[in-house]
Amino acid sequence: MSETNEDRIVSLSKTAESSDETVAALPHPDDVRKQDASTDGATHKLELGSSVSMDHLGPIIVNTDGTTRRIANWNEMTESEQANAIRLISARNKRRIADLLKQREEEEQEEQEQAENDSK
């Protein structure tokens, strides 16, 4: 016997009702549209080849594995906290990038040596 979408929904809702946890509902699409419309002109139309400043998002942090992220509470920080964060992050990013480049060079050298040994 094949289960229909309605059967799955009923089954899921019964499971949610029987548990003590409340299931968070998604907002109504109209509410999302209203929220998107109330961005007070924060959206920008870009033309091909143009650039956009994203300084308001804060500095980009380079993680030790080379991935990047930003400070989640950047807008909540004071100007002096932001200035200190930029100073510290800039120095740390330079060290991390240098370490990552050195690591890449070592890996490439090992690969090249391995290829030379394999060809012998």
Side-chain angles (χ1 to χ4, degrees):
M1 180 175 173
S2 176
E3 186 178 43
T4 66
N5 283 341
E6 284 184 27
D7 294 335
R8 287 187 199 118
I9 292 170
V10 169
S11 174
L12 288 172
S13 64
K14 286 180 182 176
T15 304
E17 288 172 5
S18 65
S19 72
D20 292 337
E21 298 177 15
T22 57
V23 177
L26 293 174
H28 192 275
D30 291 339
D31 294 338
V32 174
R33 283 188 206 101
K34 288 176 189 173
Q35 184 179 2
D36 289 344
S38 68
T39 57
D40 298 329
T43 58
H44 301 281
K45 184 175 182 178
L46 298 177
E47 292 186 27
L48 187 62
S50 64
S51 62
V52 176
S53 173
M54 293 193 215
D55 292 341
H56 64 283
L57 298 175
I60 295 175
I61 299 169
V62 177
N63 297 317
T64 55
D65 63 353
T67 58
T68 59
R69 63 184 173 92
R70 292 194 184 265
I71 298 174
N73 66 335
W74 180 255
N75 292 332
E76 298 168 12
M77 297 171 75
T78 65
E79 286 185 28
S80 62
E81 289 174 327
Q82 289 179 351
N84 285 333
I86 288 173
R87 182 177 51 82
L88 294 171
I89 291 168
S90 296
R92 187 173 60 199
N93 281 353
K94 286 179 185 177
R95 286 193 311 270
R96 287 182 176 174
I97 291 170
D99 290 345
L100 289 165
L101 290 173
K102 182 179 177 183
Q103 181 181 354
R104 184 194 314 169
E105 288 175 7
E106 291 171 354
E107 289 172 356
E108 289 174 352
Q109 186 176 5
E110 288 175 9
E111 288 175 5
Q112 185 178 12
E113 289 173 359
Q114 184 66 32
E116 290 173 1
N117 288 339
D118 291 343
S119 66
K120 289 183 181 179

